[in-house]
RNA sequence: GGGCUCGUGGUGUAGCUGGCCUAACAUGCCUCCCUGUCACGGAGGAGAUCGCCGGUUCGAAUCCGGUCGGGCCCGCCA
């Protein structure tokens, strides 16, 4: 028999029902007590009369007591109905009242009107989850998973779970290690992603694999990045040797999630493909928010001979001058704030000009000829009342600073429509990248991707010009997916590492299992993984990823409720052959 | 590891250009009154040495230094 919920009462006038739930509030009128009973479905008003046997019991009720009430559903008089309540046309005339459990006064408020700080909420997450918003979130999240599974299954992907106790992988984020008891001195690692396993599944003859996979990374969190464990929709397809096939296969899912599941608007019908280099050039980032323009304009060529030493100095040092045009005039203090922001990103300062009557006006204008000022206005497309913000330095830094300013201004000026979602595929990531600090070349993203052009491409003169068949999906400025055509050819794998100066033995020691498998007829394969928490965050218009997870850790990786991480019994350590230096 | 920022009864805030702060307001909590409320109402009450340590000062929630904790960002995140 199913339990009767508060919400059911509205259709059960005249019947006797039993409901169970929490006391949301109690209004004691002396001779008549109203109780708002709350369960996950809503709120129902109970009434207990002074003549009732249950009156004493009702008087003793306090907020959040768990009770069971039996009574008759009664239609309220017309002027006593509460239109703000789904069950507001009825009430339960209580004949039997049982306190199932008492509750101390709550340390945090469940009432949505009073927002408790996050630290307290995480400490008492089980109470926080009683809030309507969190109840809704958890339910939506379950529906979200179902939505994903239906799509994947209907596209012939089969779900396969891969081990949680896996191996440390040398590239990438820091691992969570798990000591082995049976083999003292050795460790499992929790997988940062099922990357190697899913590729091994391809070798194992699985045509299409997917998994809602738990991933573990020991890196400092952000507002859009959880600490510790998080979820990916991980997938891989065999006999696919181009990224476009994967992108076409998966993009309807994301589009449907936006329009159907999320009831939001897509900014474009088709999802644009933007090469990495172009994204960096136009937006200063590989995860641009495309809900608004304000693109970066390169003025390096035009201003190479201008009289402003800051610009020419940067250009002569192989740097660039770029600008963004903002449709707003800023006050002195606003400019100061923006300059502060730019400096935070590593800029030396933030030159700017305002445009009046088609002319650029600025304290630095005197350093420029009329022609140069004219070119600046024309190339940035600045109109009267606009402000042009400049960055001049090495290309990477200018992109970072202006890209960050662009995003901040997008927020400040309300250009990021919360009801619109802009999607983009960023493609053609560099296969190798130069480490700014060491000057050494290393893998741009990961060594599993196939360089476009294969073995031949790796022999090309300019190693930094080699692109990987690798792609990210970007959603409103968040990276929500990363994928690639995999390097399934041992020869290409050895050579890719060889370019970096690593010999065969090194590669085998790091990726032995994968490499071995590739020697036995690995099919071409490609895939990707979507960050599920982050996508859900965007779909529900949250700007903190902890809001969409039941039990998140805080910014220092601490579970404030369970108090993990924690020390363990010394016997456990002994069994694991582990000594802990408790100093530090 | 670094930068910015916050820390005041159970909860959320105000005060923070030093003294009128013996710390205010809202909410919650306790007692009493109330038979139609729905954020019920009314009367009364308890509850904070202002994160912690130190300094400046006649005097510190307020200024300074340090420290601990939270948040955001940079680094990091194949």
């Amino acid at each position: 028999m199913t339990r009767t919920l508060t919400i059911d009462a509205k259709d059960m006038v005249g019947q006797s029902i039993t409901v169970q739930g929490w006391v949301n509030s109690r209004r004691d009128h002396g001779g008549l007590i109203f109780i708002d009973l709350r369960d996950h479905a809503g709120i129902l008003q109970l009434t207990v009369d002074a003549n009732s046997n249950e009156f004493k019991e009702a008087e003793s009720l306090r907020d959040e007591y768990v009770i069971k009430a039996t009574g008759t559903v009664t239609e309220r008089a017309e002027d006593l109905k509460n239109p703000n309540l789904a069950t507001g046309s009825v009430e339960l005339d209580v004949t039997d009242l049982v306190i199932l459990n008492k509750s101390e006064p709550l340390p945090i408020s469940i009432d949505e009107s009073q927002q408790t700080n996050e630290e307290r909420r995480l400490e008492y997450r089980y109470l926080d989850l009683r809030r309507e918003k969190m109840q809704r979130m958890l339910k939506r999240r379950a529906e979200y998973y179902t939505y994903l599974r239906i799509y994947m299954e209907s596209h012939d992907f089969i779900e396969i779970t891969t081990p949680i106790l896996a191996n440390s992988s040398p590239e990438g984020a820091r691992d969570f290690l798990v000591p082995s008891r049976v083999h003292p001195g050795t460790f499992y690692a929790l997988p940062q992603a099922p990357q190697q396993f899913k590729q091994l599944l391809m070798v194992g003859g699985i045509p299409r694999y997917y998994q809602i996979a738990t991933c573990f990374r020991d890196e400092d969190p952000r507002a859009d990045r959880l600490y510790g464990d998080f979820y990916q929709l991980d997938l891989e397809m065999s006999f696919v040797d181009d990224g476009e096939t994967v992108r076409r296969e998966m993009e309807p899912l994301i589009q449907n999630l936006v329009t159907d599941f999320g009831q939001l608007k897509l900014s474009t019908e088709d999802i644009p493909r933007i090469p990495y280099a172009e994204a960096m050039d136009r937006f200063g980032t590989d995860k641009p928010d495309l809900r608004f323009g304000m693109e970066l304009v390169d003025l390096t060529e035009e201003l190479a001979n201008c009289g402003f030493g800051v610009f020419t100095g940067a250009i002569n040092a192989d740097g660039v001058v770029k600008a963004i045009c903002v449709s707003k005039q800023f006050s002195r203090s606003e400019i100061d704030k923006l300059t502060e922001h730019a400096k935070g990103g590593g800029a030396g300062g933030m030159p700017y000009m305002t445009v009046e009557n088609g002319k650029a006006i600025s304290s630095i204008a005197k350093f420029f000829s009329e022609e140069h000022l004219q070119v600046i206005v024309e190339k940035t497309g600045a109109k009267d009342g606009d402000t042009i913000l400049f960055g001049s330095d090495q290309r990477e830094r200018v992109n970072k600073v202006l890209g960050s300013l662009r995003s901040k201004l997008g927020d400040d000026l309300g250009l990021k429509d919360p009801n619109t979602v802009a999607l983009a595929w960023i493609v053609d990531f560099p296969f190798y990248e130069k480490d700014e600090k060491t000057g050494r070349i290393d893998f741009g993203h990961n060594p599993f991707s196939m360089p476009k052009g294969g073995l031949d491409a790796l022999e090309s003169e300019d190693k930094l010009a080699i692109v990987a068949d690798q792609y990210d999906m970007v959603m409103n400025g968040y990276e929500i997916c990363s994928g690639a055509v995999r390097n399934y050819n041992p020869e290409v794998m050895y050579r890719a590492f060889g370019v970096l100066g690593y010999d065969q033995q090194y590669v085998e020691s790091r990726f032995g299992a994968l490499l071995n498998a590739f020697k036995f007829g690995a099919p071409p394969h490609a895939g990707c993984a979507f960050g599920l928490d982050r996508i859900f965050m965007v779909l529900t218009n949250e700007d903190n990823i902890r809001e969409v997870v039941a039990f998140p850790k805080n910014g220092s990786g601490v579970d404030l409720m369970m108090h993990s991480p924690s020390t363990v019994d010394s016997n456990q350590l002994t069994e694991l052959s582990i000594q802990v230096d408790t100093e530090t």
Side-chain angles (χ1 to χ4, degrees):
Chain A
M1 194 183 98
T2 56
R3 183 154 76 85
T4 306
L5 303 177
T6 57
I7 194 73
D8 301 330
K10 68 183 193 311
D11 305 317
M12 301 177 80
V13 174
Q15 299 182 47
S16 175
I17 65 170
T18 297
V19 286
Q20 303 178 68
W22 287 265
V23 174
N24 198 62
S25 74
R26 180 187 57 110
R27 294 178 293 281
D28 189 340
H29 286 243
L32 177 67
I33 297 173
F34 297 103
I35 300 151
D36 283 349
L37 180 77
R38 185 189 74 242
D39 62 16
H40 66 269
I43 283 175
L44 174 65
Q45 175 166 283
L46 317 182
T47 61
V48 184
D49 195 88
N51 305 321
S52 164
N53 294 330
E54 307 302 321
F55 191 73
K56 262 216 129 41
E57 194 83 333
E59 275 185 316
S60 75
L61 293 178
R62 294 294 179 271
D63 284 359
E64 298 306 310
Y65 273 31
V66 182
I67 61 170
K68 177 165 147 180
T70 303
T72 312
V73 179
T74 316
E75 178 104 27
R76 297 199 205 177
E78 210 51 45
D79 58 332
L80 298 179
K81 289 183 176 176
N82 182 352
N84 300 319
L85 208 58
T87 61
S89 62
V90 299
E91 59 194 13
L92 190 73
D93 201 354
V94 174
T95 54
D96 190 43
L97 181 66
V98 182
I99 295 174
L100 299 174
N101 215 344
K102 296 184 176 185
S103 171
E104 292 178 17
L106 262 42
I108 65 172
S109 169
I110 291 185
D111 190 346
E112 300 286 336
S113 64
Q114 190 153 355
Q115 191 82 61
T116 307
N117 80 58
E118 194 191 18
E119 203 177 348
R120 271 296 97 64
R121 290 178 54 207
L122 291 180
E123 185 181 350
Y124 296 98
R125 191 58 150 184
Y126 43 88
L127 298 180
D128 192 45
L129 292 178
R130 287 186 193 167
R131 291 167 51 220
E132 193 192 345
K133 182 193 164 191
M134 299 305 276
Q135 293 272 316
R136 203 165 46 234
M137 180 276 288
L138 290 175
K139 187 152 179 282
R140 283 287 275 164
R141 186 148 177 151
E143 291 164 2
Y144 172 61
Y145 277 29
T146 303
Y147 203 98
L148 298 170
R149 287 210 162 90
I150 288 173
Y151 184 92
M152 297 310 283
E153 298 288 337
S154 71
H155 285 245
D156 299 324
F157 288 88
I158 63 170
E159 181 163 21
I160 300 171
T161 54
T162 53
I164 296 297
L165 292 178
N167 234 352
S168 176
S169 84
E171 302 291 324
R174 278 184 274 264
D175 286 315
F176 285 99
L177 297 177
V178 181
S180 163
R181 171 185 58 83
V182 184
H183 306 283
T186 63
F187 297 82
Y188 300 97
L190 307 182
Q192 296 176 25
Q195 182 66 31
Q196 299 199 48
F197 286 114
K198 74 172 169 179
Q199 293 196 239
L200 291 167
L201 284 172
M202 297 299 103
V203 182
I206 307 301
R208 291 182 163 205
Y209 139 92
Y210 87 100
Q211 177 181 196
I212 291 179
T214 321
C215 303
F216 304 87
R217 292 180 194 172
D218 182 12
E219 294 294 347
D220 290 354
R222 290 284 185 276
D224 66 344
R225 207 165 75 198
L226 289 160
Y227 177 79
D229 44 284
F230 63 99
Y231 287 85
Q232 287 189 342
L233 175 64
D234 190 49
L235 62 106
E236 197 76 6
M237 304 158 71
S238 70
F239 295 102
V240 171
D241 63 357
D242 69 303
E244 195 56 26
T245 303
V246 178
R247 294 193 287 272
R248 288 225 188 85
E249 186 74 23
M250 294 311 296
E251 60 189 25
L253 168 62
I254 306 303
Q255 289 169 316
N256 290 342
L257 277 173
V258 170
T259 56
D260 179 33
F261 179 81
Q263 292 291 302
L264 298 166
K265 208 167 68 225
L266 282 167
S267 66
T268 53
E269 193 174 331
D270 294 319
I271 301 177
R273 271 73 170 158
I274 305 175
Y276 171 84
E278 183 187 331
M280 295 306 289
D281 190 43
R282 290 170 58 194
F283 306 103
T285 172
D286 61 357
K287 42 180 185 176
D289 191 328
L290 297 177
R291 282 175 295 180
F292 63 100
M294 210 191 291
E295 295 190 16
L296 279 58
V297 178
D298 196 325
L299 297 164
T300 310
E301 232 173 90
E302 288 79 1
L303 299 181
N305 297 314
C306 76
F308 190 42
V310 175
F311 287 180
T312 53
I315 294 170
N316 290 334
D318 283 331
V320 298
V321 176
K322 297 175 83 169
I324 54 175
C325 174
V326 191
S327 303
K328 176 178 163 61
Q329 253 173 353
F330 296 99
S331 69
R332 182 69 235 181
S333 68
E334 286 172 327
I335 285 288
D336 286 346
K337 281 219 176 77
L338 292 173
T339 304
E340 239 6 79
H341 188 85
K343 283 181 175 171
M350 192 195 66
Y352 69 99
M353 296 180 178
T354 55
V355 178
E356 283 173 35
N357 300 321
K359 290 186 64 176
I361 298 178
S362 165
S363 57
I364 57 166
K366 59 178 180 241
F367 296 110
F368 297 85
S369 68
E370 281 297 319
E371 289 72 33
H372 280 130
L373 291 176
Q374 199 57 41
V375 160
I376 290 170
V377 172
E378 273 170 26
K379 190 125 191 241
T380 57
K383 295 186 292 294
D384 288 353
D386 288 359
T387 305
I388 304 167
L389 311 179
F390 294 91
S392 65
D393 204 325
Q394 294 303 301
R395 182 176 296 277
E396 291 73 25
R397 182 162 292 175
V398 171
N399 282 341
K400 187 182 150 202
V401 168
L402 289 183
S404 167
L405 274 175
R406 176 181 177 272
S407 177
K408 177 182 163 52
L409 288 164
D411 281 321
D412 293 353
L413 305 181
L415 303 177
K416 299 178 175 176
D417 178 4
N419 297 312
T420 298
V421 173
L423 298 171
W425 288 104
I426 309 299
V427 299
D428 295 345
F429 280 77
F431 191 71
Y432 295 116
E433 269 178 348
K434 198 178 205 168
D435 188 305
E436 286 304 318
K437 288 195 199 92
T438 64
R440 286 196 43 186
I441 292 180
D442 203 351
F443 288 107
H445 220 67
N446 72 59
F448 302 108
S449 305
M450 182 69 97
K452 274 193 171 173
L455 206 52
D456 291 345
L458 290 176
E459 301 307 331
S460 73
E461 202 58 36
D462 184 1
K463 306 297 184 201
L464 294 175
I466 304 168
V467 295
D469 202 337
Q470 194 227 312
Y471 36 88
D472 283 2
M473 187 185 255
V474 176
M475 179 186 239
N476 288 358
Y478 293 102
E479 177 192 321
I480 58 155
C481 172
S482 194
V485 176
R486 316 299 174 185
N487 185 348
Y488 64 98
N489 183 324
E491 290 310 306
V492 180
M493 185 75 106
Y494 286 130
R495 187 65 203 126
F497 277 91
V499 167
L500 299 179
Y502 297 112
D503 59 16
Q504 288 207 7
Q505 208 189 342
Y506 174 87
V507 184
E508 277 156 18
S509 71
R510 302 289 158 142
F511 305 104
L514 201 58
L515 212 52
N516 254 336
F518 287 173
K519 290 172 183 166
F520 298 106
H525 56 284
C528 62
F530 291 88
L532 293 183
D533 309 282
R534 199 176 284 170
I535 292 173
F536 191 72
M537 176 182 86
V538 176
L539 292 177
T540 54
N541 258 316
E542 291 291 342
D543 51 17
N544 190 313
I545 200 161
R546 293 187 294 273
E547 287 298 308
V548 301
V549 176
F551 299 110
K553 305 205 175 15
N554 77 357
S556 341
V558 171
D559 184 327
L560 295 167
M561 178 180 62
M562 301 301 281
H563 306 296
S564 67
S566 60
T567 55
V568 295
D569 195 284
S570 64
N571 292 334
Q572 290 179 284
L573 291 176
T574 305
E575 202 167 45
L576 293 166
S577 313
I578 284 183
Q579 288 186 352
V580 174
D581 179 5
T582 46
E583 295 301 307
T584 71

